[in-house]
Amino acid sequence: MGRAVLLCLLAVFSFWSLSVVRGEDAYKYYTWTVTYGAASPLGLSQQVILINGQFPGPTLETVTNDNIILNVINKLDQPFLLTWNGIKQRKNSWQDGVLGTNCPIPPNSNYTYKFQTKDQIGSYTYFPSTLMHRAAGGFGALNVYARSVIPVPYARPAGDYSLLIGDWYKTSHRVLQQILDSGKALPFPDGILINGQGRPSFSGDQGKTYMFRISNIGLSTSFNFRIQGHKMKLVEVEGSHVLQNIYDSLDIHVGQSVTVLVTLDQAPKDYYIVASTRFTQTVLTAAGVLHYANSGAPVSGPVPAGPTNEVGWSVDQARSYRWNLTSNAARPNPQGSFHYGTITPTRTIILANTAPIINGKQRYAVNGVSYINADTPLKLADYFNIPGVFSINSIQSSPSGNGASLGTSVLGTSHHDFIEVVFQNNENAIQSWHLDGYDFWVVGFGSGQWTQASRKTYNLVDALTRHTTQVYPNSWTTILVSLDNQGMWNLRSAMWGRQYLGQQLYLRVYNPTQNLANEYNIPNNALLCGKAVGRRIP
């Protein structure tokens, strides 16, 4: 009798255990080896960074809440890190992959990232965050698909294409770094690439609808994207389902991603897919091909021209992006259930970018501080209470008008604050700003100087959330951010030369009560460097 009861209990326990395992979010395992290789993206053979022999790197296909276990083996001759642009790393800035949170992976060594695409959908990218490696490759698409039980606000497309588009240099990443280190700005790029090529081709069947995930993976320039003879229906922007407006062309700024649906409803032939630079005196253009499967003719005629310097046109388009309040998000709850516009910000932060000369060299600064990396990741210094690495509020929360200086700037904030951030651009060039660990509501664009009266122009109803926003020349952009993700988070220029020369800072989102419900423990495989060497990981 006792044996029968024991067998029964074992069977129940086994069934229960299996149910728990099946109920857990999926785990996906990858090994990526990073090497140098040769490619000729602009017709000239040059050294590029490969991941598993690919340029660009492999597309990371995930589903909402997947757990990613990704072992990166660094075969370069320099330390290396990957960052996951737009992945929120909920409670987990340990895996953000920037120098403020992670020690770089030494040559001939490895590090295993462990993170979850928690409550996210959408089109994202990954790229190297170390030195100027991004100028050599090592980047790729990162797509987070909705779970099958969560409906999306459009019919399933017949195909799904990721387009990584950005400016490119024939000059090597080492020489570009030397140019920046010598006190000069980056030169103008040599061309535009689409998926590492000058003229890629994408095929589809007449009458069917296809998804195009378009990301600006470049270093410094915005571009305008269009498809000859075809309309684009915008459906998602960096994780937000949007009102499905129809566009002839779209401006996409450095670090940004958009998702469109395109129906092949024209005569059966080939059509140009075009990306051309915006707000530049010299216009660079890349022209790929949209190939109908039953095509009767190759591409013909001139490449369709796009806008070049029309700032007002771009501002109007940016304001037309609206959140789809009736659509589901990564979870079943409607996106509009959180009314950001009814919350009074606990704090206003005004960040003004400048381009000062410091010690005879070109630098870029925020509120008078040009960021320099510490020898120890800020996150490790914070965790181990290591003095002398950084200080809280080493940057002011509004511009002082004083001269610029070098520093490791960290702005102290409190967990669960709801903040207003104004990006003030007093330069005659477009800017692009990105915040790790979050998305934010882009509530306002305006020319000249921001004032408190500017709040009257905010969209407090259906502004979309995204992780990267543009700031137009001699203008301001305002975002609202709910600081619900504890950790150390990089707020930076997405334009990599500016980031490298100091246009960045860190937000320390702090809660004095340490709790695993708010933030995960340091990973047991964390790399230790600088003043953290020899410290004990629990």
Side-chain angles (χ1 to χ4, degrees), residues 68 138 188 246 251 284 308 311 383 443 470 505 527-528 536 538:
I68 307 301
F188 191 69
I246 306 296
D251 277 355
L284 300 175
T308 54
V311 172
Y383 178 79
V443 296
Q470 69 273 28
L505 65 140
L527 301 176
L528 301 180
R536 180 177 174 272

Side-chain angles (χ1 to χ4, degrees), residues 17-229:
S17 299
L18 187 62
S19 299
V20 170
V21 170
R22 286 178 175 171
E24 190 175 9
D25 296 312
Y27 279 76
K28 294 183 177 178
Y29 297 85
Y30 305 88
T31 297
W32 285 2
T33 301
V34 183
T35 61
Y36 288 121
S40 304
L42 291 177
L44 175 72
S45 180
Q46 62 185 117
Q47 186 185 69
V48 297
I49 292 176
L50 308 174
I51 297 180
N52 289 356
Q54 300 179 45
F55 169 75
T59 298
L60 192 58
E61 305 277 10
T62 72
V63 175
T64 300
N65 291 352
D66 276 355
N67 293 281
I68 307 301
I69 313 296
L70 196 153
N71 182 28
V72 175
I73 302 170
N74 178 20
K75 292 294 185 180
L76 306 184
D77 57 358
Q78 295 177 316
F80 183 82
L81 275 176
L82 287 174
T83 190
W84 317 95
N85 199 48
I87 300 303
K88 294 181 186 177
Q89 305 291 0
R90 295 291 302 171
K91 303 186 291 186
N92 201 17
S93 62
W94 302 108
Q95 306 293 342
D96 199 27
V98 291
L99 291 175
T101 58
N102 296 81
C103 297
I105 307 166
N108 297 310
S109 187
N110 75 295
Y111 175 71
T112 300
Y113 290 89
K114 301 174 183 178
F115 63 90
Q116 187 179 24
T117 53
K118 179 68 173 172
D119 294 335
Q120 288 189 260
I121 53 108
S123 305
Y124 305 97
T125 58
Y126 64 86
F127 56 80
S129 64
T130 39
L131 304 176
M132 288 298 290
H133 290 142
R134 181 171 167 180
F139 50 73
L142 198 170
N143 300 328
V144 185
Y145 295 89
R147 291 174 289 171
S148 59
V149 296
I150 307 297
V152 294
Y154 48 82
R156 183 183 181 90
D160 191 327
Y161 294 111
S162 294
L163 281 67
L164 302 172
I165 304 177
D167 50 31
W168 188 258
Y169 292 82
K170 295 178 181 178
T171 307
S172 75
H173 71 95
R174 296 177 194 271
V175 173
L176 292 176
Q177 182 183 335
Q178 290 171 2
I179 291 171
L180 293 172
D181 289 341
S182 72
K184 299 177 182 177
L186 284 179
F188 191 69
D190 296 302
I192 300 288
L193 299 182
I194 303 175
N195 289 352
Q197 306 171 52
R199 197 178 177 108
S201 180
F202 304 88
S203 298
D205 295 326
Q206 187 178 27
K208 293 185 178 180
T209 298
Y210 294 83
M211 175 172 284
F212 288 82
R213 303 172 181 267
I214 311 150
S215 297
N216 188 331
I217 200 71
L219 294 179
S220 58
T221 54
S222 304
F223 66 78
N224 180 267
F225 179 85
R226 51 205 180 273
I227 300 178
Q228 182 184 26

Side-chain angles (χ1 to χ4, degrees), residues 343-352 367 393 395-399 411-413 417-424 443 450-455 458 476-481 483 491 507:
I343 302 173
T344 301
T346 54
R347 183 179 183 183
T348 297
I349 298 170
I350 303 173
L351 300 175
N367 286 2
N393 296 326
I395 179 174
Q396 295 183 348
S397 57
S398 61
L411 195 60
T413 59
D417 274 358
F418 188 84
I419 64 173
E420 175 186 40
V421 179
V422 179
F423 297 109
Q424 179 66 55
V443 296
W450 179 88
T451 67
Q452 292 191 18
S454 302
R455 294 185 178 123
Y458 288 178
W476 55 266
T477 296
T478 299
I479 65 173
L480 299 178
V481 192
L483 296 181
L491 177 58
L507 291 183

Side-chain angles (χ1 to χ4, degrees), residues 388-458:
V389 176
F390 73 92
S391 60
I392 301 298
N393 296 326
S394 44
I395 179 174
Q396 295 183 348
S397 57
S398 61
S400 65
N402 297 328
S405 60
L406 303 175
T408 303
S409 36
V410 178
L411 195 60
T413 59
S414 296
H415 192 207
H416 297 307
D417 274 358
F418 188 84
I419 64 173
E420 175 186 40
V421 179
V422 179
F423 297 109
Q424 179 66 55
N425 178 17
N426 297 324
E427 296 181 59
N428 193 30
I430 194 164
Q431 309 290 320
S432 187
W433 282 91
H434 169 84
L435 175 59
D436 281 349
Y438 290 92
D439 51 18
F440 46 71
W441 289 270
V442 185
V443 296
F445 300 96
S447 60
Q449 295 293 309
W450 179 88
T451 67
Q452 292 191 18
S454 302
R455 294 185 178 123
K456 297 176 182 178
T457 68
Y458 288 178

Side-chain angles (χ1 to χ4, degrees), residues 272-518:
Y272 286 114
I273 293 177
V274 186
S276 58
T277 57
R278 290 281 272 127
F279 317 114
T280 58
Q281 289 185 344
T282 300
V283 177
L284 300 175
T285 300
V289 175
L290 176 60
H291 172 73
Y292 278 45
N294 59 339
S295 173
V299 289
S300 60
V303 173
T308 54
N309 290 315
E310 298 89 337
V311 172
W313 182 95
S314 188
V315 173
D316 288 343
Q317 182 177 92
R319 288 174 174 155
S320 73
Y321 289 7
R322 299 299 179 102
W323 209 11
N324 185 342
L325 299 181
T326 63
S327 168
N328 287 334
R331 293 178 291 180
N333 61 299
Q335 294 185 17
S337 63
F338 182 61
H339 297 293
Y340 71 94
T342 64
I343 302 173
T344 301
T346 54
R347 183 179 183 183
T348 297
I349 298 170
I350 303 173
L351 300 175
N353 56 274
T354 53
I357 302 297
I358 302 178
N359 299 328
K361 293 185 177 182
Q362 177 68 66
R363 296 288 300 185
Y364 298 101
V366 186
N367 286 2
V369 182
S370 183
Y371 186 90
I372 52 174
N373 286 301
D375 62 353
T376 307
L378 311 181
K379 185 63 182 169
L380 290 180
D382 203 20
Y383 178 79
F384 289 117
N385 294 314
I386 301 173
V389 176
F390 73 92
S391 60
I392 301 298
N393 296 326
S394 44
I395 179 174
Q396 295 183 348
S397 57
S398 61
S400 65
N402 297 328
S405 60
L406 303 175
T408 303
S409 36
V410 178
L411 195 60
T413 59
S414 296
H415 192 207
H416 297 307
D417 274 358
F418 188 84
I419 64 173
E420 175 186 40
V421 179
V422 179
F423 297 109
Q424 179 66 55
N425 178 17
N426 297 324
E427 296 181 59
N428 193 30
I430 194 164
Q431 309 290 320
S432 187
W433 282 91
H434 169 84
L435 175 59
D436 281 349
Y438 290 92
D439 51 18
F440 46 71
W441 289 270
V442 185
V443 296
F445 300 96
S447 60
Q449 295 293 309
W450 179 88
T451 67
Q452 292 191 18
S454 302
R455 294 185 178 123
K456 297 176 182 178
T457 68
Y458 288 178
N459 175 5
L460 298 179
V461 178
D462 58 356
L464 81 160
T465 64
R466 63 187 315 169
H467 57 68
T468 303
T469 186
Q470 69 273 28
V471 191
Y472 292 99
N474 300 302
S475 298
W476 55 266
T477 296
T478 299
I479 65 173
L480 299 178
V481 192
S482 176
L483 296 181
D484 60 355
N485 196 11
Q486 186 173 328
M488 186 75 71
W489 302 108
N490 191 214
L491 177 58
R492 62 176 178 264
S493 172
M495 298 171 169
W496 213 244
R498 284 180 167 267
Q499 178 273 159
Y500 182 84
L501 290 183
Q503 194 172 314
Q504 60 172 311
L505 65 140
Y506 280 81
L507 291 183
R508 181 185 186 242
V509 182
Y510 181 68
N511 190 325
T513 303
Q514 296 302 308
N515 190 322
L516 288 177
N518 296 333

Side-chain angles (χ1 to χ4, degrees), residues 246-291:
I246 306 296
Y247 297 89
D248 293 317
S249 70
L250 292 168
D251 277 355
I252 303 169
H253 307 279
V254 181
Q256 295 185 343
S257 298
V258 303
T259 303
V260 300
L261 295 177
V262 178
T263 300
L264 275 57
D265 55 2
Q266 300 299 304
K269 59 184 290 290
D270 292 356
Y271 296 87
Y272 286 114
I273 293 177
V274 186
S276 58
T277 57
R278 290 281 272 127
F279 317 114
T280 58
Q281 289 185 344
T282 300
V283 177
L284 300 175
T285 300
V289 175
L290 176 60
H291 172 73

